[in-house]
């Protein structure tokens, strides 16, 4: 609520009217504007007279309610002080006080029952002020005017007073609990329990008129109850809104709003006093946006010169010319577009047959590619099984020979050690040991007879042979197995149509796409897929050859010739990049990985013949395929496999026996012959490594050769007497094997060889040719160091 300025400086009274029917006897408290605290009213809540209860109940106020009452009291005192100060200021300035009539607001509280209703009554009663004495005898408002709340309250009090004094002639009783026994006579109050008809035995008679009247009364009461409930809900909503507003508005805001409203009312009152109550129409202030005033023209009073008009006309002509130029430019663009569209239409008409041909070709290629892929997927498992079966046969053969060679070296060493220690070697040769000895001697004699049947004059040293001979039964068994595998390889595609079983037919059919539509062919990366499609056919043909026991020439194979014979339909020379790079791509993606598997599982590094064949094949591939360089991952994997196989041979097959000088000098022990055999085996391995010249780098070859020389050859020469004649032959063989790699060797690898050559030069100065060779090697090593 907003605080208003009181009508005068005297006392003001505030009254709150309760909605209860029996609030006539509530006490009224006078609130003065001087700020004095009024006496605290006695909070009394009584039950209805019909209940017959005479006891009074007082409900204790909550702390929150008391705090709110104190706050309201402070606000009222503050308002009273401000009003008083303003009146004093007006008196000093000679301004007549303005009288404000405070409007009394009577709020109807919702009807509630029970303890909640009782507590509500108690809070309302505390806000009442006693005005009974001042209102008695107050004149009534004139007829025709609406009485205010004060007049209504005075009329009610007067009527209640008349009722108490017994004046029944001019009022109607409001209490429905009071009944009269006879018309015009007053009887005692009939209580509720006495008025209960259910306890009487008087028989009641009903009629249609009474029933209709009762039914109307029930409908009327139901309608009143409904309206009363709606009014209660509205009152509750109003009360809730008021409470929310009081919460939202702080005390400071309330004070500021109150002061502003009082000031506005004061100014309005002053205006009314000065100009009277005549209300004149006042123009409404409306914010209007600034209007754009166009100067010049008929309504403009300023003169217009001819020069200004000419300038405006020139500007309009320039704008017109610009618009025309823009339109001309658009027209020219449209004409160019029309010409281009006509050219495109003509081109499309001329390309119609070719586009149709491309479309038909793509449809055919789609069906054919699906059929080829389906066929190759079905045959892939069979091709892998045949290639693996053939590799398995050769791998088992290599394992047998490798294990036998290493076991023979071990047996040889055990026999030499036994003889050197004075034991009988015949006792060692029992069982399997004797069988291995007999087989070894038999193979040695067979090789000797073969050498004797050849050209004479060639010296042969024990340990230079590969010793890879096998028994006839094993050789025949392996040959039969390989022949069966070869037969199956030939018949892999025997149940397929020629257009799906021929490598040349498949490639020509795919390249038909290239001849008709090269752009889409290159965009689809079909050239990268052709080597993958041809891998089955190439691997099957490679499986029919043994590159370790026969000379393999790729240019003589069927797949190489088929790819090389491919040409365009017009039989013209083909310079297309895809066709030219087809053979190198197949070698890179199919042949190199196949050779890598062969070297890893079938190749024997100590076999000079196998090393020579495989090195020749790899060197030919590198020479004829320039696209293979160090960036090729398959080629790097192949070279790394060769190096790993040589390192494995150095660790497993090279062995230097250590015997005493007495055992070495005694020829019956066989220690000297065993040491010589190991020396010549090392020389043979150096020659196998040197066979890969042009395949492996010179640095790697030098490292491998010098490592073998230092681990076996140099040590073997130092263990024997340098004055013996066979040292000269061994020295010459060693120099011929490693001399070419001295220039690529490292310092630590050349020092043992330098010491060995110096010792040989001291002991064999009479051999001029040997001295020249050793001297040149020494000087070369010293230059490197």
């Amino acid at each position: 609520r907003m605080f208003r300025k009181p009508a005068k400086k005297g006392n003001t009274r505030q009254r709150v009217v309760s909605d209860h029917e029996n609030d006539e006897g509530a006490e009224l408290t006078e609130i003065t504007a001087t700020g004095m605290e009024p006496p605290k009213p006695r909070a009394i809540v009584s039950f209805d007279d019909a209940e017959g209860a005479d006891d009074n109940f007082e409900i204790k106020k909550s702390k929150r309610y008391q705090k709110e009452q104190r706050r309201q009291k402070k606000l009222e005192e503050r308002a009273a002080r401000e009003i008083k100060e303003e009146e004093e200021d007006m008196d000093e300035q000679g301004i007549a006080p303005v009288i404000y009539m405070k409007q009394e607001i009577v709020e109807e509280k919702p009807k509630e029952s029970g303890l909640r209703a009782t507590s509500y009554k108690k809070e309302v009663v505390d806000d009442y002020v006693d005005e009974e004495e001042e209102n008695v005898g107050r004149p009534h408002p004139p007829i025709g005017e609406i009485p205010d709340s004060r007049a209504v309250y005075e009329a009610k009090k007067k009527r209640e007073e008349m009722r108490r004094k017994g004046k029944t002639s001019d009022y109607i009783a409001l209490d429905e609990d009071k009944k009269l026994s006879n018309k015009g006579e007053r009887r005692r109050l009939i209580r509720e329990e006495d008025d209960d008809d259910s306890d009487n035995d008087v028989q009641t008679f009903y009629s249609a008129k009474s029933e209709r009247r009762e039914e109307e009364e029930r409908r009327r009461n139901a309608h009143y109850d409904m309206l009363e409930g709606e009014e209660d809900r509205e009152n509750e909503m109003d009360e809730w809104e008021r409470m929310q507003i009081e919460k939202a508005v702080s005390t400071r805001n309330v004070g500021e709003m109150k002061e502003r409203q009082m000031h506005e009312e004061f100014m309005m009152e002053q205006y009314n006093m000065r100009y009277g109550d005549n209300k004149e129409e006042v123009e409404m202030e409306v914010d209007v946006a600034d209007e754009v005033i166009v100067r010049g023209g008929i309504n403009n009073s300023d003169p217009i010169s001819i020069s200004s008009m000419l300038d405006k006309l020139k500007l309009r002509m320039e704008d017109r010319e610009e618009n025309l130029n823009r339109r001309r430019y658009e027209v020219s663009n449209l004409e160019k577009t029309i010409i281009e569209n006509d050219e495109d239409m003509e081109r499309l008409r001329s390309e119609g047959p070719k586009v149709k041909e491309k479309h038909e070709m793509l449809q055919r290629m789609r069906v054919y590619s699906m059929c080829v892929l389906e066929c190759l997927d079905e045959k892939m498992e069979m091709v892998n099984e045949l290639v693996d079966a053939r590799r398995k046969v050769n791998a088992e053969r290599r394992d047998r020979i490798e294990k036998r060679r290493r076991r023979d070296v071990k047996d040889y060493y055990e026999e030499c050690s036994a003889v050197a220690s004075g034991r009988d070697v015949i006792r060692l040769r029992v069982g399997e040991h004797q069988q291995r000895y007999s087989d070894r001697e038999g193979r040695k004699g067979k090789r000797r007879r073969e050498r004797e049947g050849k050209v004479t004059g060639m010296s042969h040293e024990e340990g230079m042979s590969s010793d890879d001979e096998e028994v006839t039964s094993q050789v025949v068994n392996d040959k039969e197995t390989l022949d069966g595998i070869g037969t199956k390889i030939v018949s892999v595609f025997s149940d397929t149509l020629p257009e799906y079983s021929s490598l040349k037919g498949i490639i020509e059919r795919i390249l038909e796409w290239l001849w008709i539509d090269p752009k889409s062919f290159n965009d689809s990366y079909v050239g990268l897929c052709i080597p993958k499609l041809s891998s089955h056919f190439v691997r099957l043909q490679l499986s029919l050859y043994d590159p370790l026991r026969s000379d393999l020439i790729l240019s003589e194979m069927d797949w190489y010739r088929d790819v090389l014979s491919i040409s365009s339909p017009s039989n013209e020379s083909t310079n297309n990049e895809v066709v030219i790079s087809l053979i190198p791509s197949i070698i890179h993606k199919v042949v190199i990985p196949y050779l890598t598997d062969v070297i890893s599982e079938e190749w024997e590094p100590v076999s000079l013949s196998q090393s020579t064949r495989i090195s020749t094949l790899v060197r030919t591939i590198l020479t004829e395929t320039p696209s293979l360089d160090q960036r090729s991952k398959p080629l790097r994997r192949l070279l790394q496999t060769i190096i790993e196989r040589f390192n494995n041979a150095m660790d497993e097959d090279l062995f230097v026996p250590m015997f005493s000088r007495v055992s070495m000098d005694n020829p019956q022990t066989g220690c000297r012959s065993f040491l010589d055999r190991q020396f010549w085996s090392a020389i043979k391995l150096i020659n196998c490594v040197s066979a890969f010249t042009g395949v492996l780098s010179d640095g790697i070859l030098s490292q491998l050769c010098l490592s073998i020389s230092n681990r076996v050859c140099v040590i073997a020469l130092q263990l024997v007497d340098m004055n013996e004649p066979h040292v000269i032959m061994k020295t010459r063989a060693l120099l011929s094997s490693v001399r070419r790699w001295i220039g690529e060797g490292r310092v630590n690898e050349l020092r043992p060889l330098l010491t060995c050559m110096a010792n040989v030069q001291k002991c064999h100065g009479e051999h001029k040719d040997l001295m020249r060779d050793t001297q040149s090697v020494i000087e070369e090593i010293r230059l490197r160091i």
Side-chain angles (χ1 to χ4, degrees), residues 268-285:
M268 182 60 68
E269 186 66 23
Q270 293 293 329
Y271 179 82
N272 293 335
M273 293 175 60
R274 180 176 300 178
Y275 298 102
D277 295 335
N278 297 329
K279 297 182 180 179
E280 297 178 359
E281 295 182 358
V282 182
E283 295 181 359
M284 182 181 297
E285 296 181 0

Side-chain angles (χ1 to χ4, degrees), residues 479-644:
K479 187 176 183 303
E480 291 178 354
T481 304
L482 293 175
D483 292 342
I485 294 173
T487 304
K488 293 180 180 179
I489 289 174
V490 175
S491 61
V492 169
F493 290 96
S494 60
D495 58 343
T496 58
L497 297 175
E499 57 182 352
Y500 303 115
S501 60
S502 173
L503 177 61
K504 182 178 180 180
I506 293 175
I507 295 178
E508 288 180 348
R509 190 69 176 272
I510 294 175
L511 291 180
E512 180 184 356
W513 187 354
L514 177 63
W515 313 134
I516 296 176
D517 190 5
K519 184 178 183 304
S520 63
F521 182 88
N522 295 327
D523 294 341
S524 302
Y525 300 98
V526 182
L528 301 178
C529 302
I530 294 178
K532 190 69 174 178
L533 294 175
S534 61
S535 62
H536 295 344
F537 302 95
V538 176
R539 292 173 63 203
L540 288 176
Q541 293 183 24
L542 289 173
S543 300
L544 296 175
Y545 297 89
D546 189 354
L548 299 176
R549 293 168 182 82
S550 61
D551 296 332
L552 177 62
I553 302 175
L554 293 178
S555 60
E556 296 180 357
M557 298 185 70
D558 295 338
W559 69 266
Y560 195 97
R561 295 176 179 177
D562 291 341
V563 176
L564 192 62
S565 62
I566 293 175
S567 62
S568 62
S570 59
N571 295 327
E572 298 178 357
S573 59
T574 304
N575 296 325
N576 190 276
E577 183 180 355
V578 176
V579 179
I580 294 174
S581 63
L582 192 55
I583 292 178
S585 299
I586 294 175
I587 292 174
H588 178 263
K589 296 183 179 180
V590 182
V591 177
I592 295 297
Y594 180 83
L595 291 179
T596 303
D597 295 337
V598 170
I599 292 172
S600 177
E601 300 181 13
E602 303 178 27
W603 176 49
E604 295 182 55
V606 297
S607 176
L608 184 59
S609 60
Q610 293 185 10
S611 300
T612 303
R613 289 190 179 95
I614 198 68
S615 63
T616 303
L617 178 59
V618 175
R619 191 182 302 108
T620 304
I621 292 174
L622 294 177
T623 304
E624 296 179 353
T625 312
S627 60
L628 291 176
D629 52 12
Q630 59 182 359
R631 294 175 297 179
S632 174
K633 292 183 179 179
L635 181 60
R636 291 204 304 267
R637 183 171 175 268
L638 172 66
L639 300 179
Q640 186 64 31
T641 304
I642 294 173
I643 296 173
E644 291 176 358

Side-chain angles (χ1 to χ4, degrees), residues 673-777:
S673 61
F674 179 62
L675 181 61
D676 294 342
R677 183 179 185 278
Q678 292 301 109
F679 176 86
W680 293 110
S681 297
I683 294 296
K684 180 185 178 183
L685 184 59
I686 292 175
N687 294 332
C688 292
V689 173
S690 300
F692 284 88
T693 304
V695 177
L696 299 176
S697 64
D698 293 343
I700 294 176
L701 293 175
S702 173
Q703 181 181 355
L704 292 173
C705 293
L706 293 177
S707 178
I708 297 171
S709 173
N710 294 331
R711 293 175 64 175
V712 179
C713 298
V714 174
I715 296 175
L717 290 175
Q718 293 175 353
L719 290 176
V720 299
D721 189 3
M722 286 293 180
N723 295 321
E724 294 181 359
H726 64 85
V727 174
I728 298 173
M729 183 173 57
K730 291 181 179 178
T731 303
R732 289 175 176 172
L734 177 61
L735 291 176
S736 63
S737 299
V738 301
R739 186 170 185 176
R740 61 182 302 182
W741 308 118
I742 293 176
E744 300 292 337
R746 292 176 292 184
V747 176
N748 295 332
E749 296 172 348
L750 296 175
R751 291 184 186 276
L753 183 60
L754 177 62
T755 304
C756 181
M757 292 298 103
N759 294 332
V760 172
Q761 190 177 16
K762 292 179 182 179
C763 297
H764 299 278
E766 66 277 6
H767 298 278
K768 302 298 182 182
D769 54 346
L770 180 61
M771 292 301 100
R772 288 193 301 269
D773 294 340
T774 54
Q775 185 63 31
S776 62
V777 170

Side-chain angles (χ1 to χ4, degrees), residues 252-268:
R252 180 178 179 181
N253 295 338
V254 171
E256 293 177 355
M257 294 173 67
K258 181 186 67 174
E259 293 176 0
R260 185 166 57 252
Q261 185 176 4
M262 292 173 62
H263 180 70
E264 292 177 356
E265 291 178 354
F266 173 76
M267 296 302 295
M268 182 60 68

Side-chain angles (χ1 to χ4, degrees), residues 110-165:
K111 295 182 179 181
E112 298 185 11
S113 60
L115 182 59
R116 183 177 177 184
T118 307
S119 62
Y120 182 80
K121 292 177 182 179
K122 182 68 177 68
E123 294 177 0
V124 173
V125 168
D126 290 339
D127 293 337
Y128 286 174
V129 294
D130 190 5
E131 297 180 352
E132 180 180 357
E133 296 178 358
E134 296 182 4
N135 291 332
V136 175
R138 186 181 181 92
H140 294 283
I143 299 174
E145 295 183 2
I146 299 175
D148 56 358
S149 58
R150 185 175 300 176
V152 173
Y153 180 75
E154 292 173 355
K156 290 176 64 177
K157 297 299 293 182
K158 182 178 180 181
R159 186 167 184 169
E160 180 64 21
E161 183 67 20
M162 293 175 66
R163 185 184 65 80
R164 285 199 300 268
K165 292 178 181 180

